[in-house]
Amino acid sequence: MGLFYHITASITAFLLIALALTYLENSTQFSTNDKCTMAPENRFDCARDRVLSQKECEDRGCCYAPLPDTAGPPWCFYPHLYPGYIMGPLSPTRRGQAATLTRAKPSYLPKDISTLRLEVIEESAGCLHLTVKDPSYPRYEVQLLGEPHSGAHGKTDSQDTLYSTEFHPDPFGFMVRRKSNGRVILNTTVAPLLFADQYLQLSTALASTFVSGLGEHYTSLRLDLNWTSLTLWNRDMAPHADANLYGSHPFYIVQEEDGFAHGVFLLNSNAVEVVLQPTPALTWVAIGGILDLFVFLGPDPQSVIRQYLQVIGYPMMPPYWSLGFHLCRWGYTTSNTTRKVAQRMHAANFPMDVQWNDLDYANKRRVFTFDPWRFGDLPEMVEEFHKRGMKYILILDPGISSTSPPGTYPPFDNGLKRDVFIKNTTGNILIGKVWPGPTAFPDFTNPETRQWWEDCIRDFHSKVPVDGLWIDMNEPASFVQGSVEGCPDSDIENPPYTPRVVGGQLNSGTLCMSAQQRLSSHYNLHNMYGLTEAYATHSALVKVRGKRPFVLSRSSYPSIGQFSGVWTGDVRSDWEQLRYSIPAVLQFSLFGVPLVGADICGFGGDTTEELCVRWMQLGAFYPFMRNHNDKPNAPQEPYVFGKKAQAAMRSVLNLRYSLLPFLYTLFHHAHTSADTVARPLFLEFPSDPNCQTIDRQFLWGSSLLITPVLEPGVEELAAYLPPGTWYSIHNVSYTALLFFSMCEPFYSKGQYLLLPALLDTINIHVREGHIIPRQEPALTTTASRGNPFFLTVALSAGGWAWGDLFWDDGDSLGTFETGSYCYLIFVAGQCQVVSEPQRLNGDLDGLVLGGIQVFGVPSPPRYVLANGEKVRDFTYRSDTKVSLLNDAINVIYLVSTQHVFTVQWAL
């Protein structure tokens, strides 16, 4: 009886334990399933570093759930509240607050860093700055070149900030909210923070799907969030989809609802991959450095850009002549060929300011030389250009030929003595291969290199007085992988994770990652190479020429706008590339590089007459306007085409030249106030939902709307006109002091209108309430700057308008900073236009106002007075082509040189 009882009790206990274990197992399974239950678009990839099997995925503590679409959501993804870092208490620091982040057990990444330091800095009311770094061992941190704007930093009262922050301690994450409406604009609790030696990952939910930035890529202005990946790794690569291109700009701007916007900048120069998903959400993956994050609260889009530029620096003020037309080709094989190009342009009455040469000029393709046979009279040619009021620019690659006999090529000989070149891990000079053959690469992070570079430029300039320099191949590009001797087999050459780059390896088409520079390894500095060269070149030109420098760079990184313009590289001669050049230019406007353009008519392949006409029409409204062509292609200088095509190109060039005072004033505001020049519509009309995705049209400042033709065979096109009145500016015919225009104003409620667009037409509209300063064009800006000014006045419905003019000598250094400039404000209202000089220094002396064109006068004036004197020579036209049209008045009158005038009319 007792034995039976004990056996029965044991069996009962065993069954109860089994039932309990089954319950616990089911509960655990239920809990795991619950943590893994989420919509596919909300999954965050747990296997970005490599492809995992189900077992490997689950060994990481992640969820595994295959889907039919292998290119969409990840199969291996993080569960809710995936274990990660635990945040300690915040404590005050000199700059803000700090906390320690620790993790109890290592992550699945190699060389995981278990203890981190978080610092939170309220830089300003609209800028929050967060850093995450290893407190025990120093890691490379980017120090931007130049100076941030004076408004970037300062003591901030937390009560005044536009944002609030919330921290989730376990697992660590944070949220940033907009105070005014409580909207979450950053939320990193959606996925774990990872921080290993060569893998840093931070994810965030996004406040909307309207995201722009993260260049340089061949994309629309609004980025595709449907499981796309963008890699920031500078590469010599002609623009095409799904490729990392010449520049890296880890900054994005998000359009929220109701006209609000915010931006985020990750200050990291290592290779970065940005993963976009339709949650909407974004994941940063950097393979080195630290997490150095700036959040800009705007609250409007233009304020976001201004706050970003307060961190990276405001753009430089370009010389006036650089806003004229530039002409170049790889294939102007002699100085005589180059001369004839410029002569034919002016003989055909095409405005042109700057003649360029590609590498044809160089002796054996070595920079700082010129070929004694084909370009033996290069110095004389440049002086001839100068006498004709023109400028001259040539290409300057960073690669220095290393194979010339000792003593025959000073740039290499002196560079060798002064120890200016990048070295490999053995301490020897790293040799790559570019156009002249084997080459060494200057290390522009070394102060001695910058001085050597200046000396090289000074010596060359003493022979060939160039007016600017075109720095190409500066990603840096090399025709061999890494070096002529290869690269070491190491984690720095083949990191545990390589973002999706063209060629599959970081050293593809460039230098070894282990190459040593003064500041750090090339692994850390690669994306900044073009920036450091631009900085050195800008500084050298300032000292050598003593005038405002012009530098054009292909490679770029944040802050390059302080030193250089940028062009969009080797675009093809086709309609798609014409169309995508607009978002490319607009992206650089967001990145603080207003002096930007694409190669007009295309660089690669043969253009057609129609394509080249349409590209010239669009290119006339790139802030930087250059036609450039490759060696094997059909010629595409404007004078090679038929008479009708030439007339269309000439007309739009004259239109651009007439608008240069306005364009120059826009650059002044970019330089001093971080305004944009070429402007996306959403920046100017943030509350108009129709403007959120438009990138086939753009603005100059807030006043001019540009609507180019982007497809072949088009004779009319649909243009979006934001709410308000818009006046059509067609090409102007200039005869002495009298000019005529065809004007078609439209009232718009925010709608698309069908506009005529024959081959000789690009649609340009001026916005009501604005005054555009203009000048009679000429073949060069040297000549046009002495011509009469005129004003285009677009009255608002209430009869008001405003405009301004910045004017200096166009070439001297620091004119705004030293007060050596003129600044005039123009105001229209109550049937008069008045000038209000704010500053005068003599630069406008001798120049006159040749005419005023006023849109929006409802009936013919009975009389017109200029400075109280009756004007007899004026015309009035009422255009009846469109039912909702205002009328126009043209007033022609010369005023004195006092720059103060009043023009009145009586109705």
Side-chain angles (χ1 to χ4, degrees), residues 18 77 114 158 202 205 234 302 402 484 487 599 624 655 663 706-707 795 806 827 830 878 890 903:
F77 55 96
S114 60
S158 294
L202 182 70
N234 294 3
Q302 185 64 58
S402 61
V484 294
C487 301
D599 285 343
F624 168 67
L655 178 58
L663 180 61
I706 295 99
T707 308
L795 296 178
F806 175 85
V827 179
Q830 298 179 325
S878 177
N890 291 320
V903 176

Side-chain angles (χ1 to χ4, degrees), residues 681-709:
L681 269 68
F682 79 78
L683 248 68
E684 186 65 25
F685 302 98
S687 298
D688 184 348
N690 295 311
C691 293
Q692 289 182 308
T693 62
I694 290 177
D695 61 5
R696 298 170 66 91
Q697 300 170 260
F698 60 99
L699 296 154
W700 266 13
S702 58
S703 311
L704 284 188
L705 177 63
I706 295 99
T707 308
V709 170

Side-chain angles (χ1 to χ4, degrees), residues 475-544:
E475 290 72 32
S478 180
F479 301 154
V480 295
Q481 185 167 344
S483 79
V484 294
E485 298 177 345
C487 301
D489 184 11
S490 66
D491 284 346
I492 203 168
E493 300 292 346
N494 301 289
Y497 177 70
T498 299
R500 299 173 187 176
V501 295
V502 173
Q505 290 184 275
L506 298 179
N507 56 25
S508 178
T510 189
L511 312 186
C512 295
M513 296 299 99
S514 55
Q516 295 301 304
Q517 299 185 234
R518 174 71 174 267
L519 204 57
S520 187
S521 67
H522 196 69
Y523 180 85
N524 291 325
L525 296 171
H526 170 84
N527 278 347
M528 298 181 70
Y529 190 85
L531 169 63
T532 58
E533 186 194 15
Y535 175 76
T537 307
H538 181 277
S539 174
L541 286 174
V542 167
K543 295 173 183 175
V544 170

